[in-house]
């Protein structure tokens, strides 16, 4: 088993690598993409704007994941300082040193981690809505749990959705559809 200082060096090296990655990527491009590269959005095709939005959201997700990992590293260092590092927070048993070597921020033994992961998968499977797009909830007339892309809910079908969205225009550049 490695001693506490070995794990401390491992955690500090991981934090330094993360810091270098954050610095080298300029926060995953978030600083350089404060807005799209053009001054006006008027002449941009909706697909270009969507691509820029997708890239910005992806960069934001990477940045927030990196910050969360930074917090995990700091929490592991605090556990090292208070003597609870390497002890499962759920069952109190020792975490396998091989697991700590691979995942130095581990808070749970492998058995408890597997149980936690299985519960999360069951919860998502039971709720089911975790895999649906957030925008779906904004479509007027679609009840929670309805699937606007396949299984039709009571009184809502593809034609109803088209009629709800038609006044906002189409992607053919013709502007709002006149009725």
């Amino acid at each position: 088993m490695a001693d506490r200082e070995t794990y401390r060096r491992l955690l500090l090296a991981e934090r330094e690598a993360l810091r270098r990655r954050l610095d080298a990527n300029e926060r995953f491009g978030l600083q350089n993409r404060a807005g799209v590269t053009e001054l006006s959005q008027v002449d941009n095709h909706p697909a270009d704007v969507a691509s820029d939005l997708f890239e910005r959201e992806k960069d934001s997700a990477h940045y927030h994941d990196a910050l969360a990992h930074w917090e995990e590293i700091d929490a592991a260092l605090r556990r090292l300082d208070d003597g609870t590092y390497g002890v499962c927070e759920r069952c109190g048993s020792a975490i396998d040193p091989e697991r700590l070597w691979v995942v130095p921020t581990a808070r749970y033994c492998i058995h408890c981690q597997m149980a936690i992961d299985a519960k999360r998968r069951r919860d998502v499977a039971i709720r089911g809505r975790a895999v649906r797009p957030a925008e779906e909830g904004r479509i007027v007339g679609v009840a929670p749990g309805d699937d606007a892309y396949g299984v039709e809910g009571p009184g809502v079908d593809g034609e109803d959705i088209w009629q709800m969205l038609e006044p906002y225009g189409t992607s053919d550049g013709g502007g709002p559809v006149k009725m």
Side-chain angles (χ1 to χ4, degrees), residues 29 31-41 43-44 48-49 51-53 55-56:
Q31 291 174 335
N32 291 339
R33 277 193 226 150
V36 275
T37 55
E38 298 193 27
L39 296 175
S40 172
Q41 295 293 317
D43 63 342
N44 280 358
D48 293 333
V49 175
S51 294
D52 287 341
L53 177 62
E55 289 298 325
R56 183 148 173 81

Side-chain angles (χ1 to χ4, degrees), residues 50-99:
S51 294
D52 287 341
L53 177 62
F54 170 78
E55 289 298 325
R56 183 148 173 81
E57 288 178 351
K58 183 178 70 169
D59 292 342
S60 178
H62 284 306
Y63 178 66
H64 286 91
D65 285 347
L67 291 180
H69 187 57
W70 189 287
E71 288 296 320
E72 290 172 1
I73 293 169
D74 284 348
L77 288 167
R78 283 191 299 275
R79 289 193 303 275
L80 264 170
D81 291 339
D82 68 20
T84 60
Y85 184 80
V87 177
C88 178
E89 292 181 8
R90 189 168 183 236
C91 71
S93 66
I95 300 173
D96 186 358
E98 290 179 11
R99 174 167 168 71

Side-chain angles (χ1 to χ4, degrees), residues 17 25 28 51 55 62 107 117 134 142 152 165 175-176:
N25 288 320
F28 298 98
S51 294
E55 289 298 325
H62 284 306
R107 297 170 46 207
D117 292 345
V142 178
E152 296 173 359
L165 299 177

Side-chain angles (χ1 to χ4, degrees), residues 138-158:
R138 300 293 297 160
I139 299 174
V140 178
V142 178
D146 287 351
D147 184 355
Y149 300 109
V151 179
E152 296 173 359
V156 177
D157 62 7

Side-chain angles (χ1 to χ4, degrees), residues 101-145:
W101 189 256
V102 175
V103 185
T105 59
R107 297 170 46 207
Y108 306 105
C109 67
I110 192 67
H111 301 293
C112 289
Q113 186 66 59
M114 289 171 57
I116 290 167
D117 292 345
K119 182 181 181 325
R120 285 184 186 141
R121 284 191 300 275
R122 277 193 312 275
D123 289 348
V124 168
I126 290 169
R127 285 193 313 266
R129 286 179 283 201
V131 296
R132 301 304 312 156
E135 295 83 7
E136 201 169 87
R138 300 293 297 160
I139 299 174
V140 178
V142 178

